[in-house]
Amino acid sequence: MSERVWTVKAALDWTQEFLAERSDEHPRRSAEWLLSAATGLSRLELYAYHDRPLAPEERTVLRESVRRRAAGEPLQYVTGEVAFRHLVLKVRPGVLIPRPETEILVGELLVELGSMGAPIIADICTGSGCIALSLAQEKTDARVWATDISQVAVDVAAENAQRLGLADRVGVAVGDLFEALPVELLGTLDAVISNPPYIPSSDVPDLPREVAGFEPHLALDGGPDGLDFFRRLIGDARAWLKPGGVIAIELDERMVRIAAQEAQEWYEEVRVVSDLAGRDRIVVARFAGRP
Ligand code: GLN
């Protein structure tokens, strides 16, 4: 009995059509990602080897991932990977999918640190570890501590640190904000960086279904006005930062001005940075030191 040969091209076209019917907004892109993940071919190779038949195992993987994507699950969870700055990180349900604006947050801190030798940095609410790991990879003498209250996040961040060969300079620990840091670090940090939960609670249910239905609400919900974690961060960071140490925190654009104002109480050189779409998203400031 002859079975139809299922080539890369046939699979791509079929997947695109199937997902388009299930209201995927970018069915071609999804089809490419899913097929790349199932075959190990890059997106370019999908076209170069369009005649290559899929192996039975590849078809099984593709079928399962198409089913998940058709149910609305974010591509990054389905393929298990996301690109962030110079890294490819593993992600899975239970950790926030890293976003492009967070790449800017990392870039801003790198600019602030400049040529400072061997900085000690804490990444609070690390999720997948994207911030901590990028800092360690791009500032090769940095020592980074990464914490998260979610055990799933800490497991994923630790796996990413191992896999990327950065575990010797990135310490990952579970705990609420600064709670998991070793006490010896009090007053020694050169920088505190965070992409904390910052969506106002009442807005969380209105986020796109792909976000609200699949990403952890723990990583999104920032309390009544979205600033609960921001306020705790700028307050607690004073005990951990050196005088002159830097904080860099990502926020909702609607709250960033208020946040910057609140930071003035204890911090100097407070500035706001916008994302690629020109929205104010990041507060950067320098700790004035204990009076
Ligand atoms: N630091 C992680 C990120 O930027 C997780 C953030 C979070 O869980 N709120 O993706």
Side-chain angles (χ1 to χ4, degrees):
M1 223 169 66
S2 77
E3 217 190 40
R4 176 179 169 201
V5 183
W6 200 236
T7 61
V8 167
K9 180 172 183 337
L12 256 180
D13 292 344
W14 178 83
T15 303
Q16 174 180 1
E17 203 169 310
F18 184 83
L19 292 177
E21 283 164 14
R22 277 147 191 87
S23 54
D24 186 324
E25 278 180 41
H26 305 285
R28 188 66 181 183
R29 191 193 62 178
S30 297
E32 289 172 350
W33 279 45
L34 297 182
L35 216 60
S36 282
T39 59
L41 297 173
S42 70
R43 272 178 58 188
L44 222 59
E45 287 166 341
L46 293 177
Y47 293 95
Y49 302 110
H50 60 93
D51 280 341
R52 167 180 168 308
L54 296 196
E57 318 77 69
E58 293 173 337
R59 290 176 56 172
T60 308
V61 172
L62 182 65
R63 204 174 305 123
E64 170 60 11
S65 59
V66 169
R67 187 192 61 72
R68 287 173 65 184
R69 179 62 191 153
E73 191 168 347
L75 269 175
Q76 295 90 336
Y77 285 155
V78 179
T79 63
E81 278 186 357
V82 57
F84 185 86
R85 289 184 71 91
H86 304 289
L87 304 175
V88 175
L89 296 152
K90 299 277 180 202
V91 287
R92 56 173 181 260
V95 292
L96 195 79
I97 297 167
R99 306 289 205 273
E101 51 272 29
T102 309
E103 297 180 311
I104 297 178
L105 174 70
V106 172
E108 282 303 317
L109 184 60
L110 288 169
V111 170
E112 281 291 330
L113 294 174
S115 58
M116 180 192 292
I120 308 176
I121 306 167
D123 169 25
I124 309 295
C125 311
T126 197
S128 61
C130 58
I131 297 173
L133 295 167
S134 291
L135 288 169
Q137 194 238 348
E138 294 180 54
K139 185 121 182 99
T140 51
D141 58 355
R143 164 94 214 151
V144 191
W145 293 87
T147 76
D148 203 290
I149 199 165
S150 149
Q151 186 65 51
V152 179
V154 164
D155 291 347
V156 170
E159 277 169 40
N160 278 323
Q162 275 299 339
R163 222 177 30 85
L164 296 166
L166 294 166
D168 56 333
R169 285 186 299 113
V170 180
V172 186
V174 68
D176 186 18
L177 301 188
F178 295 89
E179 202 179 78
L181 295 182
V183 285
E184 306 86 78
L185 289 178
L186 279 164
T188 69
L189 298 181
D190 295 294
V192 169
I193 186 167
S194 182
N195 174 25
Y198 57 68
I199 311 286
S201 305
S202 56
D203 290 356
V204 173
D206 300 331
L207 291 169
R209 196 179 90 83
E210 205 177 323
V211 178
F214 293 93
E215 295 198 78
H217 288 201
L218 186 66
L220 297 167
D221 189 338
D225 69 355
L227 291 182
D228 278 11
F229 293 94
F230 175 83
R231 293 193 179 105
R232 290 180 57 204
L233 280 166
I234 59 169
D236 293 356
R238 294 176 299 151
W240 296 91
L241 283 168
K242 280 180 181 164
V246 176
I247 53 162
I249 302 177
E250 184 177 320
L251 289 169
D252 185 291
E253 65 175 316
R254 292 164 298 174
M255 301 312 295
V256 94
R257 294 278 155 196
I258 296 170
Q261 226 155 38
E262 292 187 17
Q264 308 263 5
E265 187 176 348
W266 300 308
Y267 295 82
E268 303 171 334
E269 298 173 40
V270 180
R271 62 190 179 91
V272 167
V273 180
S274 21
D275 65 13
L276 295 168
R279 294 173 301 218
D280 291 342
R281 296 299 301 276
I282 296 165
V283 173
V284 182
R286 207 167 276 283
F287 178 46
R290 282 157 288 276

